[in-house]
């Protein structure tokens, strides 16, 4: 009986040793798997943030349904519209470029968290194409600088609240995107615009009336100031009171102008100072060569000239142009 007990005790000891070793091995295996999963997730996050794949759809239009139903909910969000309306091609069209940039700016200011993960990735991919286009063409530099600064400021605020699930994706991915934005800003700051080797007729060779006529077509006062810095003669033209008066009257109502009157030392209205003061107080009038359009008959949103399944007898008469802010407002319900 004593030998049996010793033998049983030995067997039990061996059994407990084996069980402890198995548990230890399982814990090591579990920890190793967790580490591998975390490493793969970090690698996947970085890969996803660098992916240039654009999500294309066969139809270049979207049905906007004001009510949120189970059948149509996926087709009436801002993110879905952003994925479907082919903004990548639109930025290559000079008539649509400013429209898309303004839309990106509005999304960056307040709507970034309403986009799905795929839509956020598309947003960054489209933004990269915009930056690359500007770097190549050396045009609209100031416009894109302001867009990048707006986006970076918004992300600084949102990343601090990432634990509250205001952004989709891993924090590493968003930090990488912010670093990319800083890199783009540096590239834009390093642009050196060279004067083309052109020996023909220049802008200053035109008659003064034609120069003024061209300057009157500029809708941004900052462009007038920049043009006036090119040459002394252009500086004189850019200070023309009638030029700034027309610019104020184009962007602002008479009531808004009356509230911001500024007199010069000579007792005359200083339209230039009034313009920049009005800009700080009121939004400027927006103008675009081409816009998104909403069909009031079938509630389909598309770019002008895009075919969509409309049942109206005269589809063109049912279409209404949308400003970038109107586009954003469509999805606030």
């Amino acid at each position: 009986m004593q030998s049996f007990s010793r033998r049983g005790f030995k067997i039990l000891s061996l059994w407990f040793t084996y069980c402890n070793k198995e548990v230890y091995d399982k814990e090591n295996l579990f920890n190793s798997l967790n580490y591998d999963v975390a490493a793969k997730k970090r690698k996947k996050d970085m890969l996803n943030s660098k992916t240039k794949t654009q999500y294309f759809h066969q139809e270049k239009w979207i049905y906007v349904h004001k009510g949120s139903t189970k059948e149509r909910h996926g087709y009436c969000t801002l993110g879905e519209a952003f994925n479907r309306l082919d903004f990548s091609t639109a930025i290559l069209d000079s008539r649509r470029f400013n429209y898309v940039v303004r839309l990106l700016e509005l999304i960056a200011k307040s709507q970034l968290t309403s986009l799905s993960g795929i839509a956020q990735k598309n947003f960054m991919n489209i933004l990269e194409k915009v930056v690359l286009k500007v770097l190549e063409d050396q045009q609209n530099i100031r416009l894109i600088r302001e867009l990048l600064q707006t986006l970076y400021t918004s992300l600084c605020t949102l990343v601090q609240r990432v634990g509250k699930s205001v952004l989709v994706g891993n924090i590493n991915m968003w930090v990488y995107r912010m670093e990319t934005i800083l890199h783009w800003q540096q590239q834009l700051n390093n642009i050196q615009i060279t004067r083309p080797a052109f020996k023909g007729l220049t802008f200053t060779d035109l008659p003064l009336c034609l120069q003024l006529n061209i300057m009157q077509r500029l809708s941004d006062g900052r462009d007038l100031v920049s043009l006036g810095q090119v040459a002394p003669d252009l500086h004189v033209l850019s200070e023309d009171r009638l030029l700034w008066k027309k610019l104020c009257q184009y962007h602002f109502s008479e009531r808004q102008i009356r509230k911001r009157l500024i007199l010069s030392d000579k007792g005359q209205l200083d339209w230039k100072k009034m313009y920049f003061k009005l800009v700080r107080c009121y939004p400027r009038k927006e103008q675009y060569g081409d816009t998104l359009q909403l069909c009031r008959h079938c509630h389909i949103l598309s770019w002008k000239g895009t075919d969509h399944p409309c049942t109206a007898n005269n589809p063109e008469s049912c279409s209404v142009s949308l400003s970038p802010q109107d586009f954003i407002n469509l999805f606030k319900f």
Side-chain angles (χ1 to χ4, degrees):
M1 184 71 177
Q2 185 177 2
S3 61
F4 177 79
S5 298
R6 290 178 179 176
R7 184 180 178 185
F9 178 76
K10 186 176 182 180
I11 292 174
L12 287 175
S13 298
L14 292 174
W15 171 254
F16 282 124
T17 301
Y18 173 78
C19 289
N20 289 334
K21 185 176 184 301
E22 185 177 10
V23 170
Y24 176 77
D25 290 341
K26 285 183 178 180
E27 288 180 352
N28 283 344
L29 178 61
F30 180 74
N31 292 333
S32 178
L33 287 174
N34 281 343
Y35 176 81
D36 290 342
V37 169
K40 288 180 180 179
K41 187 176 187 304
R42 285 195 299 270
K43 184 176 180 181
K44 182 180 179 181
D45 289 335
M46 296 301 294
L47 179 63
N48 286 341
S49 67
K50 297 179 182 179
T51 302
K52 311 301 181 200
T53 305
Q54 177 72 35
Y55 292 84
F56 291 106
H57 296 265
Q58 184 176 0
E59 297 87 3
K60 303 303 180 183
W61 51 266
I62 183 170
Y63 179 86
V64 181
H65 190 64
K66 295 302 291 184
S68 181
T69 64
K70 182 177 179 181
E71 293 78 11
R72 296 195 181 277
H73 178 72
Y75 291 91
C76 54
T77 64
L78 178 61
E80 184 66 19
F82 193 78
N83 291 339
R84 293 279 294 273
L85 292 173
D86 196 16
F87 289 105
S88 293
T89 304
I91 62 175
L92 302 178
D93 190 332
S94 59
R95 299 170 302 170
R96 299 176 179 176
F97 182 83
N98 287 356
Y99 186 94
V100 176
V101 171
R102 176 58 178 163
L103 184 57
L104 293 176
E105 183 181 11
L106 291 175
I107 292 176
K109 281 183 177 179
S110 60
Q111 301 297 321
L112 198 59
T113 56
S114 67
L115 300 182
S116 64
I118 293 177
Q120 288 177 0
K121 186 188 299 183
N122 285 347
F123 178 92
M124 295 301 298
N125 289 340
I126 293 171
L127 181 60
E128 180 177 14
K129 292 180 180 180
V130 168
V131 173
L132 293 177
K133 184 178 187 301
V134 171
L135 291 174
E136 181 180 358
D137 299 343
Q138 295 188 343
Q139 297 178 5
N140 300 299
I141 298 174
R142 184 182 64 228
L143 187 67
I144 306 308
R145 280 176 180 166
E146 294 173 353
L147 169 60
L148 292 179
Q149 186 58 42
T150 299
L151 177 59
Y152 187 82
T153 302
S154 297
L155 288 180
C156 285
T157 303
L158 294 174
V159 166
Q160 294 175 1
R161 301 164 52 200
V162 72
K164 300 179 182 179
S165 302
V166 296
L167 287 173
V168 178
N170 187 277
I171 182 64
N172 296 328
M173 177 179 62
W174 286 104
V175 171
Y176 171 80
R177 288 173 174 173
M178 293 176 68
E179 292 174 350
T180 302
I181 293 171
L182 291 177
H183 176 66
W184 289 339
Q185 288 178 320
Q186 187 62 42
Q187 286 182 303
L188 291 175
N189 291 334
N190 293 336
I191 288 181
Q192 298 291 333
I193 300 178
T194 56
R195 180 185 292 271
F198 180 70
K199 298 181 180 180
L201 190 69
T202 64
F203 181 77
T204 54
D205 295 327
L206 297 173
L208 292 180
C209 60
L210 288 182
Q211 293 182 34
L212 273 174
N213 186 274
I214 293 174
M215 295 172 75
Q216 288 175 359
R217 299 178 186 274
L218 298 177
S219 61
D220 192 331
R222 293 172 298 179
D223 293 332
L224 279 177
V225 173
S226 299
L227 184 58
Q229 296 172 349
V230 174
D233 293 341
L234 291 178
H235 175 72
V236 175
L237 289 178
S238 67
E239 295 294 324
D240 184 77
R241 292 182 64 252
L242 182 60
L243 196 65
W244 289 98
K245 178 181 179 180
K246 290 184 176 180
L247 196 59
C248 287
Q249 293 175 338
Y250 174 76
H251 285 289
F252 309 106
S253 66
E254 289 294 331
R255 183 178 181 182
Q256 291 171 338
I257 293 174
R258 287 197 300 268
K259 290 183 177 181
R260 298 292 185 271
L261 296 179
I262 300 177
L263 296 179
S264 65
D265 296 335
K266 298 180 181 180
Q268 298 176 330
L269 290 177
D270 194 329
W271 290 100
K272 182 178 178 180
K273 289 184 178 179
M274 288 169 55
Y275 169 80
F276 286 107
K277 188 172 183 179
L278 287 164
V279 166
R280 292 192 295 269
C281 299
Y282 308 106
R284 291 178 301 170
K285 181 179 179 181
E286 297 181 4
Q287 59 175 8
Y288 304 101
D290 197 3
T291 65
L292 288 170
Q293 293 190 331
L294 178 68
C295 179
R296 292 173 295 183
H297 177 77
C298 56
H299 302 285
I300 284 181
L301 182 64
S302 63
W303 288 103
K304 183 179 180 180
T306 302
D307 293 331
H308 67 273
C310 184
T311 57
N313 294 329
N314 187 7
E316 294 183 359
S317 63
C318 301
S319 297
V320 56
S321 297
L322 299 179
S323 69
Q325 187 60 60
D326 293 334
F327 173 83
I328 297 293
N329 293 340
L330 275 179
F331 304 96
K332 291 182 178 180
F333 57 85

